[in-house]
Amino acid sequence: MGSEAVLSVFTSHGVANIVCDEPMQRHTTWRIGGPADYFVVPASLDELRGTVLAARHLGLPITVIGRGSNALVLDGGIRGVVVKLHDAFAKVEIEGTAIIAMAGRSYVSAANIALRHGLAGLEFATGIPGSVGGAVMMNAGAYGKETCEVLEWADVMNADGEIERLQNADLKFGYRYSILKDRFGIVTQAKFALSPGDRDALVKQVKQWSQKRVESQPLSWPNCGSVFRNPEGTHAGRLIEAAGLKGFQHGGAKISDKHANFIVNVEEATAADVLWLIRHAQQVVRDQYGIELETEVRVLGEPISGR
């Protein structure tokens, strides 16, 4: 089916904000990625539902992104439909000592709103550069805390376009895992159960963490956050640094001089450059320490040779 016919199906389902062959490098924090066949930024819950139903009618897969962190889009791009939840899904409400945030909201922003209201529990999220929806899906965490510790429920759109409210236990959280990594579901909003806190003390803690990030992470270069999961009992960055790979560069991608669990885009890197570095780091650490590094980053799409 040609693109005009495909767009006609989406239009018939009430989808207006759709473009063809959208470069994904515009939508990832790594600034890397080939084109999405069809790219939708829903302006409402109804338009998101229409997107899901139109894609199902056409037999097209759906990939959902938020802020584009923790994702490596391969150079051949993404087949099917990419849905970006952005400004129309950014509303935040305070409900007593809880915060309800829509999935497209920056996790950092949601955490800062909680801080301003003197609510404790989300401080760790002030250092996670993703969306609320992405944080729920991957059980994002930092500073020894995880999303699952404060999440009460998440509203999730299924393949029929219906909203299901999944409680914390339904999501079957694990380390950087929820059941949404294994089944289709689009988080639309989530409720976080927090507690009253000392606003000044919370802000002081967050400022300390922020200063530590500035000193230890390569925030001035495009990156996706941590690339590898921390093996039990140690840290991926320490292993990579001990293996002598800190500052190692391949093509336009480089293992950061500041933090070895970050790969930065320093010279118009391709996804192939990043993948090569990932595999090289895995091989060297495996050979030297007998430890298998597992990636935390989501690899999406296909290489150029696959198009």
Side-chain angles (χ1 to χ4, degrees):
M1 183 181 291
S3 60
E4 289 187 8
V6 170
L7 293 177
S8 177
V9 172
F10 278 97
T11 300
S12 71
H13 283 79
V15 180
N17 301 298
I18 183 168
V19 296
C20 301
D21 296 321
E22 175 70 6
M24 289 304 297
Q25 65 185 26
R26 298 175 180 172
H27 305 283
T28 65
T29 58
W30 240 328
R31 301 292 180 260
I32 291 172
D37 289 346
Y38 302 98
F39 185 81
V40 181
V41 183
S44 65
L45 198 60
D46 284 341
E47 191 168 7
L48 175 61
R49 182 176 294 108
T51 301
V52 169
L53 296 178
R56 188 177 70 172
H57 176 81
L58 292 162
L60 296 175
I62 293 178
T63 302
V64 181
I65 65 168
R67 300 279 154 170
S69 63
N70 195 47
L72 177 63
V73 177
L74 299 184
D75 302 309
I78 302 177
R79 307 288 70 80
V81 184
V82 172
V83 174
K84 180 175 182 176
L85 299 184
H86 200 44
D87 291 344
F89 288 80
K91 184 179 179 181
V92 175
E93 296 179 358
I94 300 295
E95 188 179 272
T97 57
I99 184 169
I100 300 174
M102 295 193 75
R105 188 80 185 197
S106 157
Y107 208 21
V108 171
S109 173
N112 282 328
I113 289 172
L115 280 180
R116 290 200 296 271
H117 284 80
L119 297 176
L122 266 182
E123 306 85 72
F124 71 91
T126 56
I128 299 176
S131 65
V132 167
V136 172
M137 185 198 72
M138 68 167 290
N139 189 22
Y143 308 114
K145 299 292 185 179
E146 295 180 307
T147 298
C148 65
E149 297 177 47
V150 289
L151 184 92
E152 182 173 329
W153 51 254
D155 282 349
V156 178
M157 183 174 288
N158 63 25
D160 296 320
E162 299 170 344
I163 300 293
E164 302 175 284
R165 178 156 294 179
L166 301 183
Q167 301 298 321
N168 186 302
D170 299 327
L171 289 157
K172 302 188 184 304
F173 285 117
Y175 177 64
R176 301 298 180 266
Y177 173 86
S178 81
I179 197 172
L180 297 176
K181 295 187 78 170
D182 295 329
R183 51 161 274 193
F184 180 83
I186 302 175
V187 177
T188 59
Q189 65 176 352
K191 180 177 181 179
F192 301 92
L194 308 177
S195 58
D198 183 320
R199 183 179 180 276
D200 291 340
L202 294 173
V203 170
K204 182 179 179 180
Q205 175 66 80
V206 166
K207 285 183 176 179
Q208 290 175 348
W209 285 339
S210 177
Q211 183 60 36
K212 183 178 179 181
R213 284 196 304 277
V214 170
E215 294 171 354
S216 65
Q217 296 179 9
L219 303 181
S220 61
W221 293 103
N223 68 83
C224 78
S226 297
V227 174
F228 298 102
R229 298 171 57 163
N230 287 324
E232 187 173 353
T234 187
H235 293 84
R238 291 176 186 170
L239 290 170
I240 296 167
E241 181 175 357
L245 294 177
K246 203 172 188 181
F248 189 89
Q249 184 169 342
H250 178 80
K254 180 180 181 180
I255 294 175
S256 170
D257 294 304
K258 269 193 169 184
H259 194 310
N261 199 15
F262 285 70
I263 293 176
V264 293
N265 180 355
V266 293
E267 295 178 11
E268 297 183 359
T270 64
D273 293 336
V274 173
L275 279 180
W276 191 96
L277 272 184
I278 287 173
R279 290 165 182 160
H280 183 65
Q282 288 173 320
Q283 183 65 54
V284 173
V285 169
R286 184 187 306 117
D287 290 346
Q288 292 194 22
Y289 302 105
I291 295 175
E292 190 69 41
L293 291 179
E294 298 179 23
T295 54
E296 183 172 313
V297 61
R298 286 198 304 161
V299 178
L300 305 172
E302 57 188 41
I304 289 177
S305 60
R307 290 201 72 176

